[in-house]
Each structure stands twice: as C-alpha cells, then as structure tokens.
Amino acid sequence: MKKIEGSMTVEAALIIPLVLVMFAMTMTTGLQMYEECRETAVELGAGQDLNIIQKFYLWNELGEMWEHGD
C-alpha cells in the first residue's frame, strides 16, 4: 500500500481555518469584555467620587467589628 503524500495538505487546509476562526472568536469576546469593563469604570468614575483610602479604613473598621461581634 502506497502512502498518499497529499493527505497532510488536505488535513491542514481543514484544520488551519478552524483554528483561525476559534482564535478570532476568542479575541472578539475578549474585546467585548474589555469594552464593558471600561464603560463600567467610566460610569463609576463619573457618578461618584471614589475615595479609596476612606473606603479602605471603613472596610477595616467593619471587619474588626464583625470579628469582635460589636
């Protein structure tokens, strides 16, 4: 039985486009998620003043109260 040499080319012609489509779909999903996160951050920043240090100390104080049962 003689081995067919063109079979590798046919397999590659079927697999490569499939891999490229999967890669494109993954990139599109990632870009959509990035845009949603970016829009959310802009909305949060525009709607309220985010004072991170104050929130940190507030969460620390609430955590201590929770631990001690006050």
Side-chain angles (χ1 to χ4, degrees), residues 12-28:
L14 296 175
I15 293 174
I16 297 295
L18 181 63
V19 170
L20 289 176
V21 167
M22 289 175 55
F23 180 73
M25 289 173 54
T26 304
M27 289 294 294
T28 304

Side-chain angles (χ1 to χ4, degrees), residues 27-58:
M27 289 294 294
T28 304
T29 304
L31 290 172
Q32 287 174 349
M33 289 175 59
Y34 168 75
E35 283 295 321
E36 288 178 14
C37 290
R38 189 171 157 262
E39 289 172 5
T40 302
V42 168
E43 289 174 7
L44 283 174
Q48 57 185 337
D49 183 25
L50 297 175
N51 192 346
I52 302 299
I53 296 173
Q54 264 184 336
K55 290 189 188 279
F56 174 76
Y57 285 121
L58 176 66

